[in-house]
Amino acid sequence: MRDPESILHEVFGFAGFRPGQEEIVRAVLRGEDVLAVMPTGGGKSLCYQLPALARGGLTVVVSPLIALMRDQVAALRAYGVEAGALNSANEPEENERISDALNDGSLRLLYVSPERLAGPGTQARLAKCGVGLLAIDEAHCVSEWGHDFRPEYAALGDARTAIEANQVMALTATADAATRDDVAAKLFSRPPKIFVQGFDRPNLRLAMSPKQNATKQILDLAGRHRGESGIVYCSSRKQTETIAEALRGAGVRALPYHAGLDAAERSENQDAFVREDAVVMAATVAFGMGVDKPDVRFVAHAALPKTIEAYYQEIGRAGRDGLPADTLTLYGWGDIKLRQSQIDESGASEDKKRLERQKLNALLALAEAPECRRQTLLAYFGDTLEEPCGHCDLCESETGSFDGTIEAQKILSAIYRTGQRFGAAHIADVLTGKDTDAARRWNHDAIPTFGAGSDRPKTQWMGLIRQVYAAGLAEMDIGEYGGLRLTAKGAAVLRGERIVRLREERLRAKPARQRTASAASPELSSRDGELFEALRGLRAELAREANVPAYVVFADRTLIEMAAERPSSLAAMGRIHGVGGKKLERYGAAFLEVIDAAG
C-alpha cells in the first residue's frame, strides 16, 4: 500500500491535507465504513480518491449528475489517474476505454449515477470486477429528512449488496443529526465511523439584506467582481432572464439556466460557465449540484432560499479553491409569504409541514440575526465559533442589539388592534401615522397605536417587524387575508411578561473594494497581476485544445502562486500548489515560457 501523503504531493501537488481529510483517509484505509460530513469545498473527493490510489482495486463513486462526473473524470485524468464515468453522454470510444480498463484491472475510479447503478446489467458487471469501495456523494439525498431528497438514492442500499462492495463511504456537506442517522440506517450494513468536520467556511463573506431593488443590488455585487465568475440564484424563470439581461447590459457575460430552456441550451450554458473564466450564471436552484468549479468568486440569492441547508449548500459553491469569495442573500415579505403558502398547500404530512415551518423560521432567524451571522449559522448545525468572525456583514457594520421590548410591544399592539389580518407594510404605515386610504377605510387612524412610532421611518419599522416575526412573536396567516397575527409568545411580550432584544443597524461607510487582477488575491502587485492574466490566457488556450474546463489545467490558486513566486525551473515549478507530477510533465514548460517572457 502506498503512503497517501506521498500521493497527495506527487500526484495532486498538494503540500498537505486539509483539516479533517487525513483522519477520514486513514479510516478508509483501515477498512472501516465511513460517513463524512464536511463543508462544501473542504476536499471531500480526495477522501475516496486517495485510498483508491493508495491500495489499488476499483472504487465506484455514485454522483448525481453527468456534468459533475465528466468534469471530475477529466480532472483526475489530467493528474494521470485512470478514471472513467458510465453515462449516456459517452462516445463509443470512451465506453471501450472504460471496458478495457475494467477488464485489465487498471481502472481506479468509476463514476456512475444512482439510476445507472440500479440497473441489473451494471450491477452484474461490477460484481465480477470486485468493488473495493462504494463512495456515495451527496448522501443526504437518501434521506426524506434531508433538504434535497431524491427517490433514486433509495435503491443504493440494495445496489451495495448486489455489487458486493467490500466497504461503503457516504459523503455530504449538509446533514443534521436526524439526517445522519437516516443516512447511516439506509446505506450501511454495519454502523459507520462518523466524521463531522465542522461547517465553517472562513473564506466566505456572509451577507444578507432586505430587498430594495434586487436587480440593482445584484449588479452592485457583480460590479465588485468584474472579470470573475459568479452564480445568482433566482426564484423564477422570469427573474432568471431579467437578471441575466441586466448583467449583460452592464457588460457582464451572463447566461440563464432554468427548466424553460431546452436541454441543449441548458447544457451549453452550463459548459460555458464551468469551462470558461468570467461567466456569471443566473439560475434557478436546479443549477449547481453538478458544478465543481473551484474559482466561483460570488454567489448571490435574489430571493430567500428554501432552508438553511439549501442556503449553505448553494453558497458553498463559492470559493471552493479556498480563496476569498462573497455571498449575498436578498429577502422580503413576498418571499416569506410564498414559502409559507408552499408549505401549507403541500400534500405533506403534518409532521413534515411542522419540520418545514421550523426550517423556515430558522432561516428567518439567520436573516435577522442581531450579531455575528457566522456564529448564528454554525449554531444551527450544532457547531460553535467562540468569537465573532469579523468577516460577515454584521461584524463589519456598527451593529448592536438593544432592549427592543417597547418597539416590539408597539408592533404587536398595532397587529392586534388592526384585527390581526394586515401585512407588514400596513402595520408600518399605522405605526408611523401615515394617512392612507386603508387607514381611513378601516378607522385605523383612530386607534391608540396610530403614529406611536413616528420617531422612526417606515423602512426601520419594516426591519423591526421582520425581526419580531423571525423571533416567533408573530406569524403569518395564509388564509383569506395573509396578514400577521400574534403567537402565544408575542401575547406574553405584549402583556409585559417577556423582554425582547432587537438589532439596530448604523452602517458605517466602507471604502470601495480596490480591484486587482484577481480579487481573490489582492496581494498581487500590478506587475504580478499582468503575469496572472497572461497565465490565465495560456490556461484558456490549453483547456480549449483539450476540451476540458480551465481549472482542470490549473486552478486560479495555482496561477496566482506562479505569478507571485515566478518559478524559473521545472523543479521550482513542481513546488507550486496544485502542480503534480503529470501536470508538471504536460504543462510545466509552457507556463515557464510565459513566466520567463514576463521578465
Side-chain angles (χ1 to χ4, degrees):
M1 185 182 294
R2 295 175 63 191
D3 176 48
E5 197 156 10
S6 66
I7 296 171
L8 191 69
H9 177 67
E10 294 165 12
V11 176
F12 296 99
F14 301 156
F17 288 100
R18 292 189 188 183
Q21 284 181 325
E22 185 171 11
E23 297 92 326
I24 295 171
V25 168
R26 299 290 181 191
V28 173
L29 290 175
R30 288 194 300 268
E32 297 183 74
D33 284 352
V34 167
L35 169 56
V37 182
M38 300 175 71
T40 301
K44 293 190 294 295
S45 299
L46 273 174
C47 293
Y48 56 79
Q49 291 169 353
L50 281 175
L53 301 181
R55 67 185 179 191
L58 177 64
T59 291
V60 173
V61 183
V62 175
S63 186
L65 290 175
I66 289 175
L68 179 59
M69 290 189 273
R70 180 191 61 197
D71 292 340
Q72 288 192 335
V73 167
L76 283 167
R77 297 196 72 199
Y79 283 117
V81 176
E82 192 63 41
L86 291 178
N87 62 64
S88 57
N90 282 359
E91 297 292 336
E93 295 80 11
E94 175 66 3
N95 287 331
E96 186 176 347
R97 181 188 72 82
I98 293 170
S99 181
D100 290 344
L102 280 171
N103 290 337
D104 65 24
S106 63
L107 194 69
R108 295 282 75 88
L109 292 115
L110 178 66
Y111 288 76
V112 297
S113 67
E115 296 89 345
R116 176 64 68 97
L117 189 58
T122 302
Q123 291 177 356
R125 178 74 190 277
L126 293 177
K128 287 180 183 178
C129 295
V131 177
L133 174 67
L134 174 64
I136 300 168
D137 202 5
E138 308 288 357
H140 61 275
C141 294
V142 78
S143 174
E144 291 189 57
W145 298 110
H147 71 283
D148 195 20
F149 171 63
R150 297 188 174 209
E152 58 269 24
Y153 267 69
L156 291 179
D158 293 336
R160 175 204 67 214
T161 303
I163 66 174
E164 302 175 18
N166 294 328
Q167 189 179 7
V168 178
M169 180 181 196
L171 305 103
T172 179
T174 48
D176 57 18
T179 304
R180 291 197 294 271
D181 291 344
D182 207 16
V183 170
K186 289 178 177 174
L187 294 182
F188 296 90
S189 59
R190 55 181 175 171
K193 187 169 182 63
I194 298 176
F195 294 88
V196 180
Q197 293 301 329
F199 293 85
D200 193 14
R201 291 283 308 283
N203 63 314
L204 299 187
R205 179 184 181 273
L206 306 181
M208 305 181 90
S209 177
K211 284 184 190 176
Q212 295 162 348
N213 179 326
T215 300
K216 183 181 183 304
Q217 288 168 284
I218 297 297
L219 288 175
D220 288 345
L221 176 65
R224 297 196 296 273
H225 289 276
R226 194 163 291 279
E228 296 173 334
S229 296
I231 303 172
V232 181
Y233 283 108
C234 305
S235 60
S236 65
R237 300 177 188 182
K238 181 179 179 181
Q239 188 181 48
T240 297
E241 295 285 357
T242 299
I243 286 181
E245 185 176 351
L247 286 166
R248 286 194 296 271
V252 176
R253 187 175 181 214
L255 301 171
Y257 187 100
H258 58 73
L261 302 174
D262 63 59
E265 187 174 358
R266 280 201 310 274
S267 179
E268 182 180 333
N269 288 355
Q270 176 162 311
D271 280 350
F273 175 79
V274 170
R275 290 168 179 254
E276 300 173 24
D277 294 319
V279 177
V280 175
M281 186 71 87
T284 56
V285 292
F287 176 79
M289 181 175 279
V291 173
D292 197 25
K293 186 177 174 71
D295 58 353
V296 175
R297 296 271 68 88
F298 71 92
V299 168
H301 287 86
L304 195 69
K306 194 173 180 181
T307 61
I308 286 186
E309 289 88 349
Y311 164 78
Y312 179 80
Q313 187 174 58
E314 287 152 14
I315 64 169
R317 288 166 189 145
R320 290 189 179 201
D321 52 9
L323 299 177
D326 273 341
T327 74
L328 173 65
T329 298
L330 305 177
Y331 60 96
W333 279 108
D335 301 329
I336 298 168
K337 187 172 182 179
L338 175 62
R339 184 71 192 115
Q340 284 274 24
S341 64
Q342 287 173 340
I343 294 169
D344 288 357
E345 294 167 9
S346 71
S349 67
E350 285 306 313
D351 283 346
K352 183 70 172 176
K353 286 182 180 180
R354 190 177 305 112
L355 176 65
E356 291 301 314
R357 291 189 193 100
Q358 289 171 356
K359 287 180 178 289
L360 174 60
N361 290 339
L363 181 60
L364 296 174
L366 174 64
E368 297 296 348
E371 295 168 326
C372 177
R373 205 174 294 284
R374 195 179 307 274
Q375 287 180 318
T376 304
L377 175 62
L378 296 181
Y380 175 82
F381 290 110
D383 205 351
T384 57
L385 187 66
E386 294 301 325
E387 299 291 333
C389 71
H391 188 49
C392 68
D393 56 338
L394 297 181
C395 286
E396 292 173 355
S397 66
E398 295 179 0
T399 303
S401 63
F402 68 101
D403 184 344
T405 307
I406 297 298
E407 284 77 3
Q409 287 175 330
K410 288 179 180 180
I411 292 167
L412 296 167
S413 175
I415 292 171
Y416 181 77
R417 290 178 181 275
T418 55
Q420 304 193 86
R421 58 176 185 169
F422 292 89
H426 182 70
I427 298 302
D429 284 340
V430 168
L431 287 167
T432 55
K434 187 174 181 180
D435 183 20
T436 65
D437 289 342
R440 290 193 300 274
R441 183 184 315 121
W442 298 100
N443 293 322
H444 292 164
D445 52 354
I447 63 175
T449 44
F450 186 79
S454 58
D455 55 327
R456 292 176 179 268
K458 179 177 179 178
T459 52
Q460 281 192 13
W461 281 113
M462 290 290 285
L464 294 173
I465 294 168
R466 280 194 306 270
Q467 290 188 59
V468 163
Y469 180 86
L473 308 183
E475 62 187 7
M476 192 177 293
D477 179 7
I478 306 297
E480 181 180 355
Y481 297 105
L484 294 170
R485 62 189 179 195
L486 271 60
T487 62
K489 191 175 171 183
V493 171
L494 189 56
R495 292 193 299 268
E497 297 169 3
R498 302 178 65 137
I499 64 170
V500 180
R501 294 203 69 80
L502 298 174
R503 184 184 73 230
E504 184 99 66
E505 290 191 27
R506 296 174 298 279
L507 295 178
R508 64 171 178 253
K510 295 185 65 183
R513 184 176 173 186
Q514 296 298 310
R515 306 300 299 160
T516 65
S518 171
S521 185
E523 70 274 10
L524 283 182
S525 67
S526 58
R527 177 171 172 267
D528 291 344
E530 290 173 5
L531 175 55
F532 170 78
E533 289 299 332
L535 294 171
R536 199 156 76 149
L538 173 60
R539 178 182 67 177
E541 182 182 331
L542 293 170
R544 278 193 299 271
E545 289 174 1
N547 194 29
V548 296
Y551 70 81
V552 167
V553 177
F554 285 126
D556 272 6
R557 179 176 173 182
T558 302
L559 300 189
I560 290 167
E561 195 169 322
M562 283 184 193
E565 298 294 329
R566 295 177 177 249
S568 57
S569 67
L570 287 175
M573 176 75 78
R575 291 190 287 272
I576 297 292
H577 173 89
V579 182
K582 193 72 175 179
K583 288 192 177 185
L584 182 64
E585 176 188 324
R586 184 176 299 168
Y587 303 123
F591 281 87
L592 279 177
E593 188 176 330
V594 172
I595 293 168
D596 183 59

